[in-house]
mmCIF file of all heavy atoms in Angstrom:
data_model
loop_
_atom_site.group_PDB
_atom_site.id
_atom_site.type_symbol
_atom_site.label_atom_id
_atom_site.label_comp_id
_atom_site.label_asym_id
_atom_site.label_seq_id
_atom_site.Cartn_x
_atom_site.Cartn_y
_atom_site.Cartn_z
ATOM 1 N N VAL D 72 -78.406 62.413 -55.335
ATOM 2 C CA VAL D 72 -78.808 61.038 -55.592
ATOM 3 C C VAL D 72 -80.327 61.001 -55.831
ATOM 4 O O VAL D 72 -81.099 61.611 -55.085
ATOM 5 C CB VAL D 72 -78.469 60.123 -54.390
ATOM 6 C CG1 VAL D 72 -78.893 58.684 -54.677
ATOM 7 C CG2 VAL D 72 -76.999 60.222 -54.070
ATOM 8 N N PRO D 79 -87.983 55.987 -47.123
ATOM 9 C CA PRO D 79 -86.967 56.538 -46.243
ATOM 10 C C PRO D 79 -86.310 55.433 -45.406
ATOM 11 O O PRO D 79 -86.949 54.508 -44.980
ATOM 12 C CB PRO D 79 -87.758 57.472 -45.312
ATOM 13 C CG PRO D 79 -88.996 57.787 -46.030
ATOM 14 C CD PRO D 79 -89.308 56.580 -46.869
ATOM 15 N N ASP D 93 -89.116 43.408 -19.736
ATOM 16 C CA ASP D 93 -89.239 44.368 -18.622
ATOM 17 C C ASP D 93 -88.768 43.694 -17.335
ATOM 18 O O ASP D 93 -89.560 43.151 -16.572
ATOM 19 C CB ASP D 93 -90.683 44.833 -18.506
ATOM 20 C CG ASP D 93 -90.873 45.864 -17.419
ATOM 21 O OD1 ASP D 93 -89.898 46.582 -17.097
ATOM 22 O OD2 ASP D 93 -91.958 45.921 -16.817
ATOM 23 N N GLY D 117 -74.460 67.235 -6.392
ATOM 24 C CA GLY D 117 -74.611 68.656 -6.020
ATOM 25 C C GLY D 117 -74.199 69.537 -7.191
ATOM 26 O O GLY D 117 -73.167 69.283 -7.808
ATOM 27 N N VAL D 122 -82.493 77.793 -10.022
ATOM 28 C CA VAL D 122 -83.809 78.182 -9.495
ATOM 29 C C VAL D 122 -84.767 78.438 -10.635
ATOM 30 O O VAL D 122 -84.445 79.152 -11.598
ATOM 31 C CB VAL D 122 -83.711 79.418 -8.577
ATOM 32 C CG1 VAL D 122 -85.106 79.823 -8.085
ATOM 33 C CG2 VAL D 122 -82.795 79.105 -7.389
#
Side-chain angles (χ1 to χ4, degrees):
Chain D
V72 181
D93 181 29
V122 179

